[in-house]
Amino acid sequence: MSSSTLLSRRDLAFLLHDWLDVGRLTERPRYAEHSRETFDAVLDLAAQVAAERFATHNRAADATEPSFDGQRVRTIPQVKAALEVFAETGLLAATMDESVGGMQLPHAVAAACFAWFQAANVATAAYPFLTLGNANLLLAHGSAEQIDTWVRPMVEGRFFGTMCLSEPQAGSSLADITTRAEPQDDGTYRLVGTKMWISGGEHDLAENIVHLVLARIPGGPPGVKGISLFIVPKVLLDAGGALGPRNDVVLVGLNHKLGYRGTTNTLLNFGEGVHRPYGRPGAVGYLVGEPHQGLAQMFHMMNEARIGVGAGATALGYTGYLKSVAYARQRPQGRPVADKDPTAPQVPIVAHADVRRMLLAQKSYVEGALALILYCGRLLDEEKTAPAEADRSRAHLLLDLLTPIAKSWPSQWCLAANDLAIQVHGGYGYTRDYDVEQHWRDNRLNPIHEGTHGIQALDLLGRKVTMRGGAGLELLLETIRATVTRAWKAEGEAAELAGRLGAAVDRIAVVTRRLHGAGDPELALANASVYLEAVGHVVIAWMWLEQLLAVEALGDPDGPDADFLAGKRQAARYFFRYELPRTGPQFDLLESLDRTTLDTRDTWF
Amino acid sequence: MSSSTLLSRRDLAFLLHDWLDVGRLTERPRYAEHSRETFDAVLDLAAQVAAERFATHNRAADATEPSFDGQRVRTIPQVKAALEVFAETGLLAATMDESVGGMQLPHAVAAACFAWFQAANVATAAYPFLTLGNANLLLAHGSAEQIDTWVRPMVEGRFFGTMCLSEPQAGSSLADITTRAEPQDDGTYRLVGTKMWISGGEHDLAENIVHLVLARIPGGPPGVKGISLFIVPKVLLDAGGALGPRNDVVLVGLNHKLGYRGTTNTLLNFGEGVHRPYGRPGAVGYLVGEPHQGLAQMFHMMNEARIGVGAGATALGYTGYLKSVAYARQRPQGRPVADKDPTAPQVPIVAHADVRRMLLAQKSYVEGALALILYCGRLLDEEKTAPAEADRSRAHLLLDLLTPIAKSWPSQWCLAANDLAIQVHGGYGYTRDYDVEQHWRDNRLNPIHEGTHGIQALDLLGRKVTMRGGAGLELLLETIRATVTRAWKAEGEAAELAGRLGAAVDRIAVVTRRLHGAGDPELALANASVYLEAVGHVVIAWMWLEQLLAVEALGDPDGPDADFLAGKRQAARYFFRYELPRTGPQFDLLESLDRTTLDTRDTWF
């Protein structure tokens, strides 16, 4: 399978080099060993492995989902084979320090690498990406010994990781988790409880599974302030690090899903008593950091995971877009509006205005979303390596604000892109002979996991926008206005679009003040999702203006690049003409402090 | 299974009686044998059979889709059992004349009956509904003998019907079909060709399958003007009507779909030579009506089928809505915004503003769509039975104009409702343990079959709006304005909404003139889909204002009806506040005669 229907290598080069100028990062000590060439080489490697090892079993893993025979969970063999090759690439440690076996790649470059795997096979890619989130969390909060014991085998691909947050009665509301962790005399804990929606919670793909589990130490405060974080391995290790007895983590059942079927998703019991490690009840757990810091620690991971969800949604949207372009170019059907002669040959459907509309919409969504995801990666690089503390802190603040948008916007609009990709394929797109229906099903998870759309909306409007006295939002608006100013000076088309973006930014400022100025949190948040969606559209319009400026900076070359750059211009126009205006009625609604949802009684449905 | 999560019996009573006043139809000769009681009895019967026989195997038919073992197509036994009970109800002939065994029910009532089956199990319901479309077409265009031979056994449930239009190379473009029909000396024809996407094309559910096939008689004009319509049975009949030799209609393969899996969908070869009826090659076919009239005849059926698609989309949206209401009422999660005490009990998620937004959105979509579908049924009744010719002709014209909207709007927005139903269910909604993911998959077919969204858009803006010098559109706008005037006089909330609807109607008039006034068909149609969507939203806003007026006419009773009526008011408000304003930017775009899609080159993607 070719990588050319997964992502566009040319677009990645444009975004990373022509726009984000990641090459300049090699001036910084952390990336000094790198160059544009090493970046490109690792991108090529990712594209190749994704196409040859991941895309090749994407449909098979969907058609034959993992099954539990009472003894073990079985997955089709291609999954393990692909993950072994992935481990050999070393990409799991792409951004990690050399000291733990990492490549010290910039996050922007790593995100682009990972997107290839998500586009090729989001379900198989979930195993290493969950492991990566787990490992990064331990690198940030674990002890040196914990890092040595657990992170090293994860980096080597021998152990896989999970995140165990939700319980059957506590999903969005983590305050309500009840899993208990009883302290033992030897400093370890024994956990008892049930965890729901655990991706990668059981499988036969690795020697061991390292669960990171949120639980309560008895006597702690109620709610989220009394949650602690534990390492709970499936198999305990002996003093030398070799696999020892089975821990008391037991699979209760597999969840059978609409999509993402290749990723096992499980209900797990901890400390049910099936296994009694060292002769005692409870699942053995090791506290990470201090007690009652679990939620803050987990959020460290969760912010990365949320951008990762947005990246996955983007990748699925992107590959669906490329596949529908390929289909539209080769499928003959109908004739131009002006040509009524039925004996004239049919034209490829890409010639029809409505098909072009559907392709332009997809292009504007998926390339806009990819720009945002890579921009967030670039901010993470700034946060970690900018020479000046002020720059690091600004990057941190901006990334914090953008995170719910980077999670939600691609989840909503790249799903919409997949819907359009099906539509371009017509009846064929509705069959399992084409990939797009699976992309649509897979992508439907993204508005749900790692915090639903509604939770992201509350995070943005209820927390991020008000934090530090509104400094985060202020910074976002100021950053967008800087682009507007640059575009204004550039004149021509960019200047025209800049005027519209500037007006939208002003509306964000006014509407936000009005919502929070009313002094009624319930009213302020009543339409948080509408706010999230409107601000998201403005942010993507900003991404398109940024891209347009990068295109204009490149001038007007001939050849294939002329088509590529003209396509960028046209997608930017499309977004400003068809998409940005959607925010007008949304801002109107928000500005009116609409109470419709608050005034609705439950008995009216 | 209870019918209460399929459709709302109360809402149907409201729409049919309180609003459309179908009881008055019994004053007309055709419906003189009926009364409100007989209407209600048949609705109750439909609800019961749908709940007890159709809903009960909806998931099973999805999980075990029809399979072909080389000899026959196998379906799970519950499908045949359900269809036998359906045949016993006599509902297939609900609207037909008593002379052919029909009930002579009004179309509005019949549509409400059928919606129960579509909500319960759209895939199993497809078999009788395809048969019904086939039978109605023969009743309109077949000879007395053809009706006696083919329609009677269909009404009795012994034969099923199909519609064979598409071919692998000709879907949206019927001008390009190539199936040939060679005239024979005995007045019959022999057909040779391949038909794609034939639902119900092969199965073991009936004694015979009556295919209605579009084909070309050699020597006829090219394009759609040379298409004729043929009856091509799977099994030929002897002179006495008994099953005779196998006709040469052969299953090439089953299509494996994203949804609607319980309905076989087939690729069929006609006249391939596998069977040689009466020792000669070709599939035996009988011409319906005159040669070269096939498309016009088929459109007779297709218009009904298109409204039927909208009805199916509506029913799927409706049941998903009711299921998400039930889930939101019983699922505890989180606490009110104002209550930060983590030891307080969790509240049902219906208490959260964002969940109420998702339920209100669904309610406004599905009840708005159902109103439109029943209104179209009522128009069909007017067209067929209004005493004055002018009224019949008005109804015909208005229905013709509304058909692409009645097909597309529910297909788009009740699919969006299903998306929201999944979202309300959170992670659980993404599993196959709940119904909503299947409704979403099933509903995804509706923007594709019986003419895609883009085809409906061209039909509306390119044909319906311009037909008879614009009389159809004029009539629609005038009819909506009549509602606006009534609402204006009613004062209060209805008057306020009327002002907004009136403004939107004015925009339709202005924009339509501008689009067609430019004298460039390609430019006029460049954004036909945007036009379809905007006009659709205005039409549904109209349906909501109509419902609001019906609510106000009922006064303010106590008890459960007070909740029901308050819910109607709130959904009307929701639609006017959150939905109708979406049309502003759409009309702006159309008014600007935007050329973005036309100016895009194929090489830019």
Side-chain angles (χ1 to χ4, degrees), chain A residues 65 171 176 256-258 333 335 354 356 419 430 432 441 444 527 529 577-578 596-597 602, chain B residues 65 171 176 256-258 329 333 335 354 356 419 430 432 441 444 527 529 577-578 596-597:
Chain A
E65 63 184 345
D176 292 284
H256 297 287
K257 306 189 304 300
L258 166 59
Q333 194 72 186
R335 290 165 190 81
D354 194 55
R356 286 209 286 255
D419 176 85
Y430 197 67
R432 277 126 64 200
R441 286 188 288 109
R444 185 61 189 82
N527 288 296
S529 291
R577 292 174 187 172
Y578 286 70
T596 311
T597 59
D602 308 350
Chain B
E65 63 184 343
D176 292 284
H256 296 287
K257 306 187 305 297
L258 167 59
R329 286 206 173 112
Q333 194 72 186
R335 290 164 190 82
D354 194 55
R356 287 209 286 256
D419 177 85
Y430 197 68
R432 277 126 63 198
R441 284 188 288 108
R444 184 63 188 81
N527 288 297
S529 291
R577 293 174 187 171
Y578 286 69
T596 311
T597 57

Side-chain angles (χ1 to χ4, degrees), chain A residues 18 187 345 479 484:
Chain A
D18 300 331
T479 309
V484 168

Side-chain angles (χ1 to χ4, degrees), chain A residues 65 168-173 176 196-197 222-223 256-261 321 325 329 331 333-335 337 342-343 346 350 353-354 356-357 359-360 363 415 419 422-423 426-428 430-432 437 440-442 444-445 447-448 452-454 521-522 525-527 529 563 566-567 570 577-578 581 585 589 594 596-600 602-605, chain B residues 65 168-173 176 196-197 222-223 256-261 321 325 329 331 333-335 337 342-343 346 350 353-354 356-357 359-360 363 415 419 422-423 426-428 430-432 437 440-442 444-445 447-448 452-454 521-522 525-527 529 563 566-567 570 577-578 581 585 589 594 596-600 602-605:
Chain A
E65 63 184 345
Q169 83 295 347
S172 294
S173 179
D176 292 284
M196 185 58 161
W197 310 123
H256 297 287
K257 306 189 304 300
L258 166 59
Y260 260 80
R261 290 191 188 168
Y321 161 62
V325 168
R329 286 206 173 113
R331 166 74 177 171
Q333 194 72 186
R335 290 165 190 81
V337 165
T343 63
Q346 299 201 74
V350 70
D354 194 55
R356 286 209 286 255
R357 177 188 64 85
L359 296 177
L360 274 173
K363 183 176 170 74
L415 176 62
D419 176 85
I422 292 174
Q423 195 68 18
Y428 293 94
Y430 197 67
T431 70
R432 277 126 64 200
E437 66 86 22
W440 188 63
R441 286 188 288 109
D442 286 347
R444 185 61 189 82
L445 180 59
I448 298 173
T452 63
H453 194 69
E522 200 186 9
L525 297 176
N527 288 296
S529 291
D563 279 335
Q570 195 71 346
R577 292 174 187 172
Y578 286 70
L589 180 87
D594 184 89
T596 311
T597 59
L598 300 181
D599 293 343
T600 305
D602 308 350
T603 49
W604 292 357
F605 293 114
Chain B
E65 63 184 343
Q169 83 295 348
S172 295
S173 179
D176 292 284
M196 185 57 161
W197 310 124
H256 296 287
K257 306 187 305 297
L258 167 59
Y260 259 80
R261 290 192 189 169
Y321 161 62
V325 168
R329 286 206 173 112
R331 167 73 177 172
Q333 194 72 186
R335 290 164 190 82
V337 165
T343 63
Q346 300 200 74
V350 70
D354 194 55
R356 287 209 286 256
R357 176 188 65 84
L359 296 177
L360 274 173
K363 184 177 170 72
L415 175 63
D419 177 85
I422 292 174
Q423 195 68 18
Y428 292 94
Y430 197 68
T431 70
R432 277 126 63 198
E437 64 86 21
W440 187 65
R441 284 188 288 108
D442 286 348
R444 184 63 188 81
L445 180 58
I448 298 173
T452 63
H453 195 69
E522 199 185 10
L525 298 175
N527 288 297
S529 291
D563 278 335
Q570 196 70 347
R577 293 174 187 171
Y578 286 69
L589 180 85
D594 184 88
T596 311
T597 57
L598 301 181
D599 293 343
T600 304
D602 310 349
T603 49
W604 292 357
F605 294 113

